[in-house]
């Protein structure tokens, strides 16, 4: 009897798998983070309002990113470990999407004491990037560390860490509605290759193709 039950269950599973109307995987990227339900709608995690200063002494707020998606990272200019690797990958993304108006870049320092506007300006010049396309941001330390948390990244002082800061090498993709949609290890070129596919998906979603 047990044998026939197992055969029936296996047959049922096979038929369900072959069902032409079975739900397919959603082609859109998920919205990441905790979510709440208010009884009517699902409330997703969003990047909150912020205001920082970029390498050109311009105030950058959420309005700067209106109707655009962006890739963010958290770094410091004197980082002796992962930051050069991450910036190499960020620069690769920048060069690939330099002419894509819907995508911009934001690099938040975790060392605002030393990463002054002038220091960030020099850093951006050394990378030879368009300052309207890629913002290098500084501000109050606690606000920077708070916005790192909101991006599901790490930013904190740690005297035992190389350079004095513990920070994530993540690249984070945020959509035009302030939702975090994807991230990857910015030190891993193959992970960034997959991340580029996520960027393409989100661009297609913004164009209404998904």
């Amino acid at each position: 009897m047990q044998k026939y039950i197992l055969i029936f269950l296996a047959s049922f599973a096979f038929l369900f798998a072959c069902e032409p109307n079975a739900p397919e995987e959603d082609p859109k990227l998920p919205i990441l983070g905790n979510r709440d339900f208010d009884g009517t709608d699902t409330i997703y995690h969003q990047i909150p309002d912020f205001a920082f200063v970029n390498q050109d002494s311009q105030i950058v707020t959420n309005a700067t990113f209106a109707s655009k998606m962006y890739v963010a990272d958290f770094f410091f200019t004197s980082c002796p470990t992962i930051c050069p690797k991450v910036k190499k990958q960020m620069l690769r993304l920048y060069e690939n999407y330099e002419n894509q108006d819907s995508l911009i870049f934001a690099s938040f320092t975790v060392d605002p004491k030393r990463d002054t506007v002038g220091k960030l300006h020099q850093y951006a010049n050394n990378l030879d990037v368009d300052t309207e396309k890629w913002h290098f941001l500084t501000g109050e330390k606690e606000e920077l560390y708070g916005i790192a948390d909101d991006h599901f990244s790490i930013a904190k002082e740690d005297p035992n860490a190389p350079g004095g800061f513990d920070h994530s090498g993540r690249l984070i993709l945020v959509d035009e509605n302030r939702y975090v949609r994807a991230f990857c290890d910015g030190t891993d070129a193959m992970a960034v290759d997959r991340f580029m596919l996520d960027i393409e998906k989100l661009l297609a979603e913004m164009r209404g193709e998904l």
Side-chain angles (χ1 to χ4, degrees):
M1 182 66 177
Q2 185 177 13
K3 176 182 177 182
Y4 292 112
I5 293 174
L6 291 174
I7 293 173
F8 172 79
L9 291 175
S11 300
F12 180 81
F14 177 79
L15 288 172
F16 180 79
C18 296
E19 170 60 47
N21 295 320
E24 298 180 356
E25 183 180 352
D26 191 340
K28 294 183 180 180
L29 295 173
I31 297 174
L32 304 181
N34 294 329
R35 58 197 66 182
D36 295 316
F37 186 69
D38 66 358
T40 304
D41 298 314
T42 301
I43 303 172
Y44 296 95
H45 170 81
Q46 283 184 301
I47 303 300
D49 291 342
F50 62 75
F52 296 106
V53 181
N54 74 2
Q55 69 271 25
D56 293 327
S57 300
Q58 302 297 314
I59 301 296
V60 172
T61 69
N62 301 88
T64 308
F65 301 88
S67 302
K68 296 181 185 295
M69 51 192 275
Y70 68 92
V71 175
D73 77 315
F74 293 82
F75 83 114
F76 60 111
T77 60
S78 58
C79 173
T81 54
I82 63 174
C83 293
K85 295 178 182 179
V86 175
K87 277 297 173 286
K88 181 179 179 180
Q89 297 303 318
M90 279 283 276
L91 190 59
R92 183 159 73 98
L93 293 176
Y94 169 86
E95 290 171 347
N96 192 71
Y97 294 102
E98 187 173 1
N99 297 318
Q100 174 55 256
D101 293 337
S102 297
L103 176 64
I104 57 180
F105 297 83
S107 291
F108 300 82
T109 182
V110 301
D111 183 14
K113 183 176 181 179
R114 287 181 290 186
D115 285 344
T116 61
V117 169
K119 191 80 170 285
L120 294 177
H121 184 83
Q122 180 182 4
Y123 190 86
N125 282 348
N126 290 340
L127 291 177
D128 191 27
V129 297
D130 180 355
T131 56
E132 293 295 322
K133 182 76 172 179
W134 192 345
H135 299 278
F136 295 83
L137 301 168
T138 189
E140 296 296 326
K141 181 178 69 175
E142 295 306 319
E143 293 180 6
L144 287 163
Y145 290 4
I147 207 68
D149 288 341
D150 290 313
H151 284 80
F152 310 127
S153 191
I154 298 171
K156 63 181 180 179
E157 290 183 278
D158 182 352
N160 297 316
F165 295 90
D166 184 10
H167 63 301
S168 169
R170 279 183 175 176
L171 305 184
I172 305 105
L173 180 63
V174 181
D175 70 15
E176 74 277 17
N177 296 311
R178 306 191 198 180
Y179 296 134
V180 177
R181 304 297 295 275
F183 61 83
C184 73
D185 179 355
T187 67
D188 184 339
M190 292 183 66
V192 176
D193 288 342
R194 294 189 293 270
F195 186 67
M196 290 174 72
L197 298 177
D198 291 335
I199 291 174
E200 292 297 331
K201 280 187 178 182
L202 191 53
L203 286 170
E205 183 180 327
M206 289 183 68
R207 293 192 296 265
E209 298 172 1
L210 295 180

